[in-house]
Amino acid sequence: METINLALFVVEAVAYFVLMVTLLHFRHRLGLGVFLTALGVMHFMETYLAAVFYVSLPFGDVSPGSSVFFSGKLMMILMLYLWEDAATVRQPIYGLFLGNLLTVGIAWVLQLHQPLQLSSNHTPDVDFLKEMGWLMIWGTALLYVDSLGIILLYEKLGDFFRRRVVLRFMISGFVLLTFDQVGFFAALYYFLGVPVAVFWGGWKAKMLSVCLYGAMFAVYKYRIRRLGADLAARSISDLFGDLTFRERYNDLLERTGRDMLTGVYDRTRMELEAPLMLREALRQGLFATVLIIDADHFKDVNDGHGHLQGDEVLKAIAARLGATLRSSDRIFRFGGEEFVAVCPGTSHEEGLLLGERLRWTIETSVKTPDEKPVTVSIGVATADEDGASFTTVLAAADDRLYAAKKSGRNCVVGRSSS
């Protein structure tokens, strides 16, 4: 019997996923309201089943309402976020929460009636309705927290698994459904006296559900990406590819403000981003170091070998800077042959060492067409020791760059060597 129940468990998960993804896929033709309504209608069913309906599986006693349908709903909310945005995700959650409050309120009012007993087999159970209402309110409050958590975790995992969307999808589900199992079981235990043994069976079932939903999500994503099977009338901005809605925005942002020649960020992007980087570092109690890097005698390269060869030298310098700096650092083209590096979490002493490393790397790896080494002069300044604003720190670094030029070039000048 447990094997049959397990097979039915898998069938229920597949059926739920297929139905909901179909509605989500065709949302531009049918309207997003159809998907949201279906999600809401299932809410009472899943809460009711979680309260009273349990089956035996090989790894414990579980409720399909909690393990299949609620787990599926949370993963569907994450998928809705991937295709739409967080503002759209809030709509069904707010709707469910208000609807559940209304359910509890109506249950209290119904107690004032004297209902007719039309059939001995159908006695109204208002107390159970109230319990269900409170349970649904608690479940929706958890859903709100779960939804915020799964979206934030999914985005955070993008720092480590940028292109592995399915892996992020599944890890987020594992973590948040574990949290949800703890929270929702506490309510079941308090309101309905559900035994503790059910907790572990339900948790295992939710983990199995995430595996099933993750596998189906991967198949669907692969189908859309590789086979181009787009049966719905979707706008080009809605195409589901490697990047999610948020990632497409970030990708567009990454492409904006780039220097066309070197590929690093340009001065406009620096004026927008660098002050924020310094403020955030100072807010966290960290240093932030700014380096200005200037190619020595660069005019001689242009005059002696032509501007095209000079462009190649600039691109080589930018490439070495990008390869040497950390992923949390930012490199900007300040103008001409000057670059600015902003390094949060870097003290002045560390900045001087970094500047020396950059200077040595460029001198030993970048050459002019006649094989002469290209050298750079670097000025270093640090917030908040040299000022709290980016403008002030940049000015200090610029003064030290000037001092490096006067000292014979091909050197690094900071506060300790000023």
Side-chain angles (χ1 to χ4, degrees), residues 46 66 70-71 73-75 77-78 89 93 138-154 172-184 206:
E46 69 196 33
S66 177
F70 183 86
S71 300
K73 178 178 0 186
L74 186 60
M75 304 314 291
I77 284 175
L78 179 56
V89 169
I93 300 173
W138 177 246
T140 308
L142 274 177
L143 178 64
Y144 184 78
V145 176
D146 291 341
S147 300
L148 288 177
I150 202 168
I151 289 171
L152 292 173
L153 180 58
Y154 177 86
S172 301
F174 288 140
V175 173
L176 266 299
L177 282 168
T178 298
F179 166 80
D180 179 81
Q181 179 66 5
V182 173
F184 194 69
K206 285 183 176 179

Side-chain angles (χ1 to χ4, degrees), residues 19-40:
L19 172 62
M20 291 310 219
V21 168
T22 300
L23 295 177
L24 190 57
H25 181 77
F26 286 98
R27 67 194 181 282
H28 289 293
R29 182 174 296 177
L30 300 174
L32 190 59
V34 178
F35 171 79
L36 298 180
T37 301
L39 210 60

Side-chain angles (χ1 to χ4, degrees), residues 84-212:
E84 296 289 338
D85 55 27
T88 304
V89 169
R90 288 197 296 267
Q91 297 177 29
I93 300 173
Y94 289 160
L96 290 172
F97 193 75
L98 292 173
N100 293 339
L101 281 176
L102 183 61
T103 299
V104 174
I106 290 175
W108 281 99
V109 173
L110 288 175
Q111 290 182 112
L112 304 177
H113 286 286
Q114 293 296 325
L116 298 175
Q117 188 73 33
L118 299 179
S119 171
S120 59
N121 296 326
H122 297 88
T123 303
D125 191 346
V126 178
D127 288 336
F128 179 72
L129 186 60
K130 284 194 300 183
E131 287 179 348
M132 285 294 298
W134 286 117
L135 196 59
M136 287 193 294
I137 288 176
W138 177 246
T140 308
L142 274 177
L143 178 64
Y144 184 78
V145 176
D146 291 341
S147 300
L148 288 177
I150 202 168
I151 289 171
L152 292 173
L153 180 58
Y154 177 86
E155 291 292 350
K156 186 62 179 176
L157 289 171
D159 295 341
F160 308 98
F161 311 110
R162 179 65 182 266
R163 301 286 178 176
R164 298 185 178 181
V165 175
V166 176
L167 179 61
R168 290 160 60 187
F169 182 85
M170 294 183 68
I171 293 175
S172 301
F174 288 140
V175 173
L176 266 299
L177 282 168
T178 298
F179 166 80
D180 179 81
Q181 179 66 5
V182 173
F184 194 69
F185 177 80
L188 290 176
Y189 183 80
Y190 178 80
F191 285 111
L192 303 172
V194 174
V196 176
V198 171
F199 171 83
W200 292 110
W203 178 78
K204 293 174 185 177
K206 285 183 176 179
M207 298 303 101
L208 174 60
S209 293
V210 173
C211 294
L212 293 172

Side-chain angles (χ1 to χ4, degrees), residues 363-408:
E363 183 182 21
T364 56
S365 62
V366 180
K367 299 185 183 301
T368 62
D370 56 356
E371 294 301 311
K372 292 181 179 178
V374 175
T375 63
V376 294
S377 300
I378 301 176
V380 182
T382 303
D384 60 350
E385 296 169 340
D386 292 303
S389 71
F390 174 68
T391 302
T392 305
V393 178
L394 183 66
D398 193 46
D399 290 342
R400 289 163 189 163
L401 173 63
Y402 182 72
K405 293 285 189 182
K406 287 182 63 177
S407 299

Side-chain angles (χ1 to χ4, degrees), residues 79 82-83 165 217 220-221 224-225 234 236 238-244 248:
M79 289 183 69
L82 302 187
W83 274 302
V165 175
F217 172 69
Y220 179 66
K221 182 178 180 298
I224 295 299
R225 259 184 72 190
R234 300 188 302 166
I236 191 167
D238 185 50
L239 292 176
F240 187 88
D242 280 334
L243 303 175
T244 66
R248 288 199 300 271

Side-chain angles (χ1 to χ4, degrees), residues 350-362:
E350 292 169 336
L352 291 171
L353 292 173
L354 174 60
E356 188 59 38
R357 187 167 151 215
L358 292 172
R359 186 203 63 77
W360 179 84
T361 299
I362 291 170

